[in-house]
Amino acid sequence: MRQLLPEVRDLADKDLPDLYDVPGPHLRAGFVVSVDGAIAVDGRSGPLSSPADKAVFRALRTVADAVIVGAGTAREEDYGPINHQPPAAGWRSDHDRSPGTPLVVVSRSGKIPPNARFLAGPVIVAVPEGVAVPELGADVVRTVDPADLVAALHDRGYTRLLCEGGPLLFTSFLRAGVVDELCLTTAAMVVGEGPHLLGSLVEPQGLRMLSLVHDDPGVLLSRWAVLGSGRDQA
């Protein structure tokens, strides 16, 4: 990998947590997309991924306090618990981060399968007020409003937040103005029909590039500040 902006230098996987680690509080979104904006091939993001994308995926999780995902994405991608392997676990220890990273599963229906793999690790389930949730052994947050959910996670001490999708959840967060950064891997591929990164926005959203990394064959790893967010104004 070679960093192109804001400086030119070669990077190894072990350098990525330091590249992506910034003080909180903040909420990032992390996605891999095709050049034409698709986020999946045959319903899965795996065909778009690459070794560099996987390294950034791990780095973003390494530096995060909690990872937010929609229940549909967790089901379609067969999410398991977030287990940090060496050297990520060592990086977290050296930087006074907790050993575990909870998964925050957002579900409007509250229908979480009791055999879901992610229930084997620390989990927070976010559901609307009044929605019944089966006994899962999980912490339950009674809101899916983006701003209220972020506030509830901050109250629990989780201030560095990573949203991994899907597109409806990310769009709702962006519309609510709670997204500070977008970390985007662009795969050297066009897909055509299929799910894309965003739904409908009220108006176009400006971005400012913070860093850009290239990896063969033609993979671009970009990090963008969302203009008008708290972090952009800080």
Side-chain angles (χ1 to χ4, degrees):
M1 286 178 286
R2 187 163 180 81
Q3 184 174 334
L4 304 178
L5 292 172
E7 59 181 320
V8 178
R9 58 173 176 150
D10 291 328
L11 293 174
D13 289 5
K14 65 180 179 61
D15 300 318
L16 293 175
D18 289 332
L19 178 66
Y20 285 95
D21 185 41
V22 296
H26 59 69
L27 188 148
R28 288 169 159 163
F31 285 90
V32 58
V33 300
S34 64
V35 170
D36 60 332
I39 61 167
V41 178
D42 295 330
R44 301 293 298 272
S45 62
L48 293 170
S49 192
S50 64
D53 174 61
K54 290 180 172 66
V56 168
F57 177 83
R58 292 191 297 269
L60 289 172
R61 285 185 162 197
T62 296
V63 304
D65 295 330
V67 175
I68 307 171
V69 65
T73 297
R75 180 179 60 253
E76 291 162 9
E77 298 285 350
D78 192 25
Y79 266 57
I82 299 174
N83 296 317
H84 297 292
Q85 303 299 320
W91 188 98
R92 289 182 67 86
S93 176
D94 291 343
H95 291 76
D96 297 321
R97 308 289 167 84
S98 63
T101 301
L103 191 67
V104 183
V105 179
V106 182
S107 172
R108 292 189 176 276
S109 69
K111 296 178 180 178
I112 306 294
N115 61 345
R117 287 201 310 119
F118 58 75
L119 292 173
V123 178
I124 298 170
V125 176
V127 296
E129 187 68 44
V131 170
V133 181
E135 182 56 51
L136 300 170
D139 185 9
V140 177
V141 174
R142 294 286 178 179
T143 182
V144 295
D145 175 83
D148 291 344
L149 176 56
V150 169
L153 294 174
H154 285 184
D155 289 343
R156 287 162 168 78
Y158 306 121
T159 60
R160 301 174 181 88
L161 304 174
L162 172 64
C163 174
E164 293 182 348
L168 292 179
L169 184 64
F170 172 49
T171 300
S172 71
F173 280 17
L174 197 59
R175 287 171 62 103
V178 299
V179 180
D180 298 295
E181 291 185 7
L182 172 60
C183 299
L184 196 65
T185 297
T186 304
M189 185 184 303
V190 289
V191 173
E193 293 185 3
H196 280 60
L197 180 62
L198 279 175
S200 176
L201 294 177
V202 175
E203 58 185 24
Q205 177 66 66
L207 303 174
R208 175 171 56 88
M209 182 173 282
L210 298 173
S211 67
L212 180 65
V213 176
H214 170 265
D215 190 55
D216 289 329
V219 177
L220 295 175
L221 311 159
S222 56
R223 176 173 159 243
W224 303 85
V226 178
L227 299 183
S229 70
R231 173 158 295 280
D232 177 68
Q233 295 174 342

